[in-house]
Amino acid sequence: MSKKQFKYQASSSRASSGPFAAADGAFGSSSRAGGAFGTVSSTPLSYVYEPPDLTSISEPNTIVAFKNLQKKDSTTKAKALEDLQKYIFSLDPNEGVEDAVLHAWIKVYPRTSIDTARRVRQLAHQLQGAIARTSGRRFVRYMPDVVGAWLAGLFDGDKLVARAAQESVKQTFPTDEKVKNVWKLYLGSILQFCSDAVFKENVNTLSDERTVSPDDASAKHARVVAAACSVVQYILENSPQDVLDKHEVALNEFLGSKELWKLASNADASVRKSIYRLLDTSMTERPKVLNLEVISTCILTSGLSVNHIASSLDYSRVLAHLTTFNPNIWTDFYTGTGKKSATKRLCQFLVKGSQGGPYQYWDEIQALLQHVPMSVLLPQENISDQKFVILEALHEGLSNRDEPRSNQRAAWNTYLETARRFLSFHDVDRDRLINDSIMPILTQYINPSREMATWTVSGFSQPIVLTATRLCLESPQAFAAQWSNLSRSFVEEVRTSLPEQSRDFAKSQDTISAKASKWYGLQAALSDVEISEDTRTLLITTSTSEILSAIALLEARNGKPYGAASLITTAIRSMPNLLLTQQLLRDSLAKFVSTDVPNLLLSPSGPYFVELIPHPKTIIDSDTIYRKGLRSVLDSPQNPARSKALQCLVGSPCARHLGQDEALLATLITTLKKEIDDEVTQSDLLSTAVANPNAPPELAQALIGQIVATLSLEDQRSASLQGLQTVVKLDPAAVKTYDATTEGSSLLAKLISLTESNDATVSQQAKSISSMLRADAPTDNIHDNQAILNIIRLGPETTGDHALSVASLIELAHKTLQQCDEQSRPTLVADLLPDEARWQDALRPFFALRPNPSLAIMNPLSNAVSLGECSATTEGVSSDKDGHSAAFRLFWYTSALIQLSDIFKYTTVEHQACIAKNLTVVLQIASDHLSIRSPYQLWQIQDTEHEEEIIEIISQTQRLTASWLADYSPESFLRISLLGLMEESYGMSVRSHYSSRAYISTMTELNELHTATDFHMGTNELLSARKSVETFAAAAVISTIQAPATLTKTFNELLAQLTRDDLKKYPQAISDLIIFNGILNREELVDSLPSIPKQRIVFFVQHVCEELVHTFNVVGSSGVQAVPSISVLATSAEIMQALHRVLPTLRETYGTFWENITEVLTKAWSSFEAAPDDVLPFIHASLRLYSTLRRLGFEESNDDLIDALKGQEASIASSMINLLHALRDLPDEFHQPRKITNELLAREISHAHLLVDPTVTIELFPVLGSESLALQGSAYELLHHQIPRLQEDVALDKALSKDYVAKLPEELLSLILEAPTASAMNDVDFKTSIPSSLRSYLSSWQLIFDHWTGASDAVKNDYINAIKEGSYVHGLLHLASELLITSRSRPVDASKFNIDSYQPGREDTPEKDAQWLLVHLYFLALKHLPTLSKTWWRDNTSRQTQISVESWTEKYISPLIISAELATVSAWAPSQASEPDQPLTVKVSTSTREITASIPIDEQS
């Protein structure tokens, strides 16, 4: 047998299995466990117990779990319970739990179920239910041992534990009937468990004091006792009488035990509550068992003196029940005397108040004090000196600072009802009781003071004070005296109130006003109940005196003390029937209101006087006085007092008769419109006018109209919406009535527009109001709602800051269409979609502008752009707050609505064609505006996101038109649309230009989708258009000609005509050239060009070349070659486009025209000093022509061409440099034609850079500052190749002359003088390219460091001094440190780049490309300028920057610098000559990064 079996598991286990572990030992009792000879409790809850036998359990892990369950640590126990749960759930249902496990569990469960840790108790109950369910009927024999602990868990103070126990019971016994049977069958075991828990267990037996803290041990014992008592209470309440009778002995022993009721004074609230509830139930269910003397001693004598925090309600309830049950509990059964007398004990309890309990506590105390014998409430010794100690105790308890405010009403009710009982007692001095214990309530209510603060009734106090006052009426003389004193005090306070000049004037008057409200409110309440005639006379007399005094004061002080006015108004309003019966008061009041009040409405008392006018209507003509007062106010100058008076007058019931006086009403409306412009008074005035049902309707309508007008004023918008929202809430019908009027038709449009405001408050207010106004719109036929239709109809073309956004219009139109019935939709759609007139009005500003001539580079009409006729004056293009013009709004709205709904099917074919035609025209205009930004556009780009949104809108519309083309049929509306476009192409207007382009674009796509269509134009139309010089129409016709023979014929005719015509004739020549090039652009003709006789093409080429030579040989008056006119340049551009197409067919043809072309190009390029937009088409065409010549020259198939190119190669290179300068000053970021031209020039220069004269490279430095990245890059490439070559000459000059100082170019240094700031770069978009300013700066530094390549050491020193003098390197290093290291959350990982070299355009994004370049320049700065770089780092004022830069440099840059230096030394050392007797030895160790130089020294020499 293993020795482990003989080891004790715990000290408690050893105690339970030792030699003194008998149930009834000779040296101890069962109630204690401790000491050397202590005995072991026989209950299953004691911590001292015999461990379960685990030897028969087959599963080792289960044994370990049970052993862990007997340890002291709660976490270990919880883990053990979880392991046991897993074990139980893993069992086969057919096998069940083995008996050994059941035996062990039954042994440990009761103790575990009361563990100090909540989690342990929770898991114990869950496991108990699982074991019971798994064991089935086998568990029945174990039930008596565990049922008490299991059911007691239902009453655990922790809700989670109680819920776990409840769920385990419910899952084991799923029906209520089964649960009842458990209580019934095991009632004896349950009662025994409860009895053991209450009487046999104590703190020391339930917990081991060595491992459990005293607080935890006490809490555990209290929890067990409370649960046991709750179980017995449940049994008494829910068990049938016959079942209780069977266990009568056990119940009687339990309830009759004095030890049980002693727990009523237990320190733990849960124990006390369970005892009180048990007693409460016992009095109902088993009253005969109770020993009232014991109960009185434990509950009253002992219980009244303890604190009842958290148990006060239960205690007060059981006291009330016990007293009702047998009042003699306070007398005959009460055993305390002297300091423990019932009266003193009761006072001691009442003084503490509710002790944090709810208001029901005081209800129970009231019931208690109504049944406590009077001899206890007022003992004989208190009768003699009329000392009401119970009332004093109650008063002290309810006025306790810890008493919850919510309990005040119930507490004072209890106090007054107790006082009423005292008043009913014949031996009580009523006057004294009222004066001392009741009258202070009234006095403090009317005249509050700090000295009597304990008599203040909090909350809704008037019912309490009214009750107190009625009790005071039990002594009429005392009441009359005190009431008169209060009245005189009130009058005196009114008379002596502070003047208007005083700082506390408002505070003084507000105090009087508040007191008047209380005073007369109380009197009104008193007058509504039955009171004696003497009391009624007293109220009338005092009130009359107060009112007359107030009238006199107001007359004397011109209405300034508004507290007096409030007194009068409140009195008359509260008690009109009582007060107006006095003739003196009637006469005085009538005279005052009729004579003085109309003139005092502007005084501080004005609002009270306005309220007073309608009330004494039985003694005055209220309407006459009202109009008189209103005229007086209207005649006064505008000021805050008048605004306030007008607001009060507008809200008066007397306003109902204003409609009878039209002149007065008109004057009032005019005045109020001016008043409502004031943001301060706006909302109050509106709400008052609308909320007054007596005001004339036209008054509210006028005010609403005025506030709607102020919606356009941004500074008043929020206040106006607030006012309008108030009106809608108070009287939505008034706003809807206004909305239906002509003036109100724009209200809904303004509101919907404001829903898009950037101000969240304004937007939300507008949404709320508009939704209210639209709530009643008819849903069956929305066409009837003209307001919404007007918004949709006019909205797309409306511009300005307040225009409704297109997205909102689309949503509104879509909803309107959805809500419309099927029959009405065609009519509705005609209103929703724009007609031709609306399109023409929206597009008129753009048809008045000639398109940018540079667009010839990108559209099929080429230089026909210059032929368009436009108006002499340019109309301004208005836009909405998003920068969208009316045309674009209409375009977006129409396109999106068609895509979003099925609206298109409800329109006529003609309307569909109109929409398709105009959408394609706008697409052409949009294409131009995407290519070039200008002030006169369809939109004004605000940011990148806005541009992407516009591009997406255009793309969606293109997809829409593409879907129409894909579904083309002869009956389609597209046929009508194309005919319309063709018709509009005739003429030379800008509209004809765009219509022609739209036609060409549509037909090109249509021919690609459908190889054969029935829609095309023929030779006749082309011939007619040519004869009429209808260039746009002719170009459009060309796009539809499908027969190659027709194209070839037309081409031959034009070829012959252009060969013989004078090409200087404008516009005939350019028109023919445009048509000629249009045919050349057709693929069908390109394929058939070789079939045309070459001699005809040669004649054409020779003729046009002669024209070009003549054009560019013109010399100006200054002797410099003149730049031709724009029209000549346009014609020349068309010629060069034609040559670009036809010259490849002459690649083997010899002639002088090759040389003529190259000469024209060089002369043309050299003539430009600037390159405005109208020159770009020529430059682009000439560069394309040169590209064709260069490509043909590479083929070496024509000696004349090769000779011409070689002969002009230097001139061509020089003239290209001139072009570079001409184009440099204008940006191309938002100018697509310019960017295309610049990029084309840069490509051609890259092919000619070896031919550029190195001496002119200095002229290229200014190009580095260009805003064109292409030109900037081209200049950089040229300089990058030339600068290292020049260093050889510089080094030679330096070597020949000691005085020679090598200098960096001033133009280059000027470009690095000021570095871009990191903050500026953070605001720049890197999505498309590196910003030109940053690229210019960094490229300039690259060229600076290019000077080191091939330079001698002396020259390098000169360069370093030049950089040092200008402190240039500081800007570079500061920029690099910020962009790469310090301004980022994580420094750039330089290991991803090739640091010692840089190749532009290799990275995925421009931002990474810029980072690579910066890293490379930082490396070069440290390599070539180490001293300057170190100085910058050392002088940096930010220690954090120093640390960050040092760490980053050490990680990424330093290894490369070191390697480069080591490589330099390795290359240098072999080339150094050394003396034979002292050879120099240099060793370079790359692994240790060390250089060792050694010379042998003879020690003897």
Side-chain angles (χ1 to χ4, degrees), residues 860 919-920 923-924 954-968 974 978 996-1013 1015 1036 1039-1040 1042 1082:
L919 285 179
T920 53
L923 280 174
Q924 296 304 312
I954 293 172
S955 300
Q956 290 176 353
T957 307
Q958 289 172 336
R959 288 193 288 270
L960 174 64
T961 56
S963 67
W964 290 341
L965 291 172
D967 298 334
Y968 174 82
L974 284 177
L978 288 168
S996 176
R997 283 176 52 185
Y999 180 88
I1000 294 172
S1001 174
T1002 305
M1003 284 303 303
T1004 301
E1005 189 171 354
L1006 184 62
N1007 289 332
E1008 290 176 357
L1009 293 172
H1010 305 279
T1011 54
T1013 63
F1015 190 86
S1039 68
T1040 63
Q1042 296 183 351
R1082 292 289 299 270

Side-chain angles (χ1 to χ4, degrees), residues 1276-1291:
Y1276 168 77
E1277 289 296 331
L1278 288 172
L1279 292 167
H1280 183 62
H1281 284 86
Q1282 295 294 344
I1283 287 175
R1285 296 180 182 180
L1286 297 175
Q1287 299 312 304
E1288 295 179 2
D1289 296 336
V1290 175

Side-chain angles (χ1 to χ4, degrees), residues 1343-1384:
L1343 295 176
I1344 291 285
F1345 290 124
D1346 280 342
H1347 286 75
W1348 265 255
T1349 304
S1352 64
D1353 292 339
V1355 172
K1356 291 179 182 179
N1357 289 332
D1358 288 346
Y1359 290 157
I1360 292 173
N1361 290 331
I1363 293 176
K1364 181 179 180 181
E1365 288 177 5
S1367 301
Y1368 301 108
V1369 76
H1370 288 194
L1372 172 65
L1373 296 177
H1374 182 71
L1375 177 67
S1377 66
E1378 284 201 327
L1379 292 183
L1380 298 175
I1381 306 171
T1382 59
S1383 65
R1384 305 172 61 90

Side-chain angles (χ1 to χ4, degrees), residues 896-960:
L897 189 58
I898 292 173
Q899 295 174 74
L900 190 62
S901 64
D902 59 351
I903 190 173
F904 218 43
K905 73 178 184 181
Y906 296 102
T907 60
T908 62
V909 174
E910 291 76 12
H911 199 176
Q912 292 174 343
C914 165
I915 290 172
K917 179 189 70 173
N918 285 286
L919 285 179
T920 53
V921 169
V922 177
L923 280 174
Q924 296 304 312
I925 300 175
S927 175
D928 290 352
H929 292 181
L930 282 175
S931 300
I932 302 176
R933 285 193 188 178
S934 72
Y936 306 101
Q937 285 198 294
L938 287 168
W939 56 78
Q940 295 299 325
I941 299 294
Q942 297 176 348
D943 51 38
T944 305
E945 290 185 4
H946 186 210
E947 185 176 19
E948 291 174 353
E949 179 186 7
I950 288 173
I951 293 174
E952 179 59 26
I953 293 169
I954 293 172
S955 300
Q956 290 176 353
T957 307
Q958 289 172 336
R959 288 193 288 270
L960 174 64

Side-chain angles (χ1 to χ4, degrees), residues 548-567:
L548 293 176
S549 297
I551 290 174
L553 181 66
L554 288 168
E555 290 174 342
R557 294 171 61 178
N558 295 323
K560 293 180 180 179
Y562 61 86
S566 174
L567 183 154

